[in-house]
Amino acid sequence: MTLRQKLQEQFQSDLAKAPESITNKNGIELHLDKNQQIYVGYDKIPRKWALKLTKKIPLLFDFLLQSRFWVDREWIAAIQFPATNIPIFYEYCKKCKAPNIVGIWQQNTKISCRMCGKQNLVDIKSSLKSIQEILERLDIG
Amino acid sequence: MPIADTDIEHRYSVDGSFEDPQPDKDDSLGGELSATEIPDDTLNNDMSDITSAEAAAGVTKYRGWMYVNKHASLTYIGPKMWIESQTSSADTSVAIGMAVEAKNLPIEVITNELTPPSTVVFSTPANFAAGLAVGDLDPDDYKGHWLKYIVTAGANAVVDTYTLAIRGDTNP
């Protein structure tokens, strides 16, 4: 089994033990999304502050939503210690700039941006020596 | 008493003497530990609003901040810092990097907020395991770090929020 496979397997095991919800430091409750393998939650902000979001919604829904003043703002968070001790990073979509959460085992693989679907090559950089060592070993494995 | 959240203070840096006040968050561009804590959960506690001209053209700004252990007797053991929540805007992002200077030393002073600190490696750790090692902090020890705030060209106006986190161990 390669290091990449071991990390993947360990993360799946950690994911099964992760709490169903957490509260972030802004007081917003985030729920575990097992498909995306991250925590997701929402708060409401005035629509005028979130014009960017409406651009991602199809026209019909956009029309219906225009009459509403508030819009849901999405928050995401990685699986946190002590649920997992495997390094996880934010990587930004090269097209839409949205943050995507990736595990260290995904280095040098392609992921689909969760917002726009563009394929992005994961390129994690860190100054932490222990992480550099894992990244080097992933390249070898 | 073990170390409590309130014992670990997050402060601005100041281009002056140790624990001088830092009245202007936009001047937290390296130097010594200031006496001024970064107010938690407060809009614009990191920097002034990005102007429409900056948002249109895109801009990257830097800030030098410090963690200090104000517990009377206990060491903050093995702390790491990470980005708990990325920016809420899809048009911006933050990255963090530890100052290269050893703890209890002033950090590099950058010319202005647009100048990157030299030799600092920025990354985007999203959990404790990926977090940047701060190093043990004895009572009154402090250690600097840098924040990089990136606004992409054509960014929309939003109230933007992100959260940095630090966690370490403590003896009881």
Side-chain angles (χ1 to χ4, degrees):
Chain A
M1 186 184 277
T2 64
L3 176 62
R4 195 181 295 271
Q5 287 168 330
K6 276 185 200 165
L7 289 168
Q8 271 173 329
E9 196 173 280
Q10 183 59 49
F11 180 73
Q12 290 304 325
S13 160
D14 292 348
L15 192 64
K17 291 180 289 187
E20 285 298 313
S21 66
I22 57 171
T23 303
N24 74 11
K25 287 196 172 174
N26 300 308
I28 297 154
E29 193 173 6
L30 311 180
H31 294 276
L32 182 61
D33 181 329
K34 290 199 170 167
N35 290 326
Q36 298 190 74
Q37 305 181 332
I38 59 173
Y39 286 97
V40 182
Y42 300 90
D43 69 344
K44 291 192 183 300
I45 59 169
R47 172 166 294 281
K48 64 176 181 175
W49 288 345
L51 293 175
K52 188 80 175 180
L53 294 179
T54 64
K55 290 180 185 171
K56 300 184 191 309
I57 300 170
L59 279 177
L60 174 62
F61 290 107
D62 196 26
F63 172 76
L64 292 171
L65 285 169
Q66 284 298 335
S67 59
R68 293 166 62 178
F69 182 72
W70 299 99
V71 66
D72 287 337
R73 178 167 58 171
E74 186 183 57
W75 294 83
I76 56 175
I79 309 293
Q80 296 288 338
F81 178 82
T84 182
N85 250 323
I86 303 176
I88 297 174
F89 293 82
Y90 291 100
E91 290 274 288
Y92 306 99
C93 176
K94 289 180 177 60
K95 182 180 172 196
C96 75
K97 313 295 181 192
N100 289 279
I101 293 178
V102 299
I104 195 166
W105 61 92
Q106 290 171 287
Q107 175 79 338
N108 291 335
T109 63
K110 283 193 172 176
I111 58 154
S112 294
C113 172
R114 57 189 298 279
M115 291 297 283
C116 73
K118 180 183 167 55
Q119 291 276 302
N120 284 264
L121 182 69
V122 176
D123 182 20
I124 295 168
K125 291 182 175 67
S126 172
S127 59
L128 204 60
K129 199 179 166 200
S130 57
I131 290 173
Q132 285 174 350
E133 284 169 2
I134 295 173
L135 293 173
E136 282 168 18
R137 286 174 60 199
L138 284 174
D139 277 344
I140 295 164
Chain B
M1 284 277 285
I3 295 176
D5 280 0
T6 47
D7 292 324
I8 306 302
E9 295 183 3
H10 201 196
R11 297 195 194 175
Y12 298 114
S13 58
V14 61
D15 186 11
S17 303
F18 177 72
E19 293 202 320
D20 275 355
Q22 177 50 281
D24 185 354
K25 68 229 170 188
D26 291 326
D27 277 345
S28 186
L29 304 177
E32 262 292 4
L33 173 74
S34 83
T36 311
E37 271 195 82
I38 303 172
D40 208 12
D41 288 340
T42 307
L43 275 178
N44 295 117
N45 60 358
D46 56 348
M47 59 187 72
S48 299
D49 284 346
I50 300 295
T51 65
S52 56
E54 287 171 331
V59 69
T60 299
K61 297 191 175 190
Y62 298 87
R63 289 290 182 275
W65 295 331
M66 296 179 172
Y67 282 109
V68 56
N69 175 12
K70 294 307 289 180
H71 191 277
S73 57
L74 291 177
T75 298
Y76 196 36
I77 302 166
K80 283 187 185 180
M81 65 171 298
W82 70 95
I83 303 165
E84 190 174 82
S85 301
Q86 258 295 343
T87 52
S88 50
S89 165
D91 297 324
T92 66
S93 63
V94 289
I96 53 175
M98 293 311 301
V100 293
E101 294 81 2
K103 69 178 182 180
N104 303 329
L105 287 176
I107 60 174
E108 176 186 353
V109 179
I110 54 177
T111 312
N112 56 47
E113 64 180 2
L114 308 177
T115 310
S118 55
T119 69
V120 172
V121 178
F122 286 94
S123 61
T124 55
N127 70 347
F128 175 83
L132 306 180
V134 176
D136 290 355
L137 294 178
D138 294 328
D140 286 329
D141 275 1
Y142 61 95
K143 171 72 184 174
H145 71 89
W146 291 92
L147 177 103
K148 181 179 181 181
Y149 182 75
I150 305 156
V151 181
T152 53
N156 279 291
V158 290
V159 172
D160 202 14
T161 311
Y162 59 88
T163 308
L164 304 183
I166 186 169
R167 177 182 288 154
D169 211 345
T170 169
N171 290 320

